[in-house]
């Protein structure tokens, strides 16, 4: 149970960093208060987590030959596609990704930040 909570927190932090760093990714209304944006961020993190648990393994399975040929670099494209799918599911009023370039950069940032947050949170368990 705590592992799921840690991954949820890591996704939320990573999405917040991506929204902050990438111009093409927006979260909610620009004039919304902090509480509203926090709730929106948590909902989007939940959607992103569900997409990563259900859809991403299927996409990785079917793109396995391409992953092998590119030595795993195609994972960055898959991460971008998962971010675009999350944007589509959440709707443009909650979370918007402005194109594949922004999704690619956002996916890269989310991967790095999620990895770092998971390293910090997993260190506390031992």
């Amino acid at each position: 149970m705590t592992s799921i909570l840690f991954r949820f927190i890591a996704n939320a932090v990573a999405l917040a960093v991506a929204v902050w760093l990438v111009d093409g990714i927006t979260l909610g209304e620009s004039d919304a208060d902090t509480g509203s944006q926090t709730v929106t961020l948590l909902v989007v993190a939940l959607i992103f987590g569900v997409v990563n648990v259900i859809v991403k393994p299927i996409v990785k399975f079917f793109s396995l030959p391409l992953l092998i040929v590119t030595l795993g670099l195609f994972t960055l494209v898959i991460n971008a596609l998962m971010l675009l799918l999350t944007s589509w599911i959440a709707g443009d009023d909650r979370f918007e990704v402005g194109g594949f370039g922004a999704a690619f950069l956002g996916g890269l940032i989310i991967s790095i930040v999620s990895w770092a947050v998971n390293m910090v949170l997993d260190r506390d368990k031992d």
Side-chain angles (χ1 to χ4, degrees), residues 5-29:
L5 182 63
F6 287 152
R7 289 183 186 266
F8 176 71
I9 291 169
N11 276 341
V13 169
L15 282 166
V17 171
V19 167
W20 179 53
L21 290 177
V22 180
D23 288 333
I25 301 175
T26 57
L27 181 69
E29 302 284 329

Side-chain angles (χ1 to χ4, degrees), residues 80-101:
L81 293 173
M82 296 305 109
L83 197 59
L84 285 169
L85 181 61
T86 301
S87 172
W88 179 74
I89 292 171
D92 287 341
D93 55 338
R94 287 184 179 236
F95 183 67
E96 183 177 3
V97 179
F100 186 78

Side-chain angles (χ1 to χ4, degrees), residues 18-50:
V19 167
W20 179 53
L21 290 177
V22 180
D23 288 333
I25 301 175
T26 57
L27 181 69
E29 302 284 329
S30 60
D31 58 346
D33 61 341
T34 306
S36 174
Q37 284 191 335
T38 303
V39 170
T40 302
L41 178 67
L42 293 176
V43 169
V44 170
L46 182 65
I47 294 169
F48 187 65
V50 170

Side-chain angles (χ1 to χ4, degrees), residues 14 24-25 30 50 63-64 71 90 92 96 103-104 106 108 114 117 125:
I25 301 175
S30 60
V50 170
S63 64
L64 192 59
L71 301 175
D92 287 341
E96 183 177 3
F104 187 83
L108 180 62
S114 290
V117 170
K125 286 185 351 184

Side-chain angles (χ1 to χ4, degrees), residues 99-113:
F100 186 78
F104 187 83
L105 186 58
L108 180 62
I109 290 170
I110 288 170
S111 296
I112 293 169
V113 173

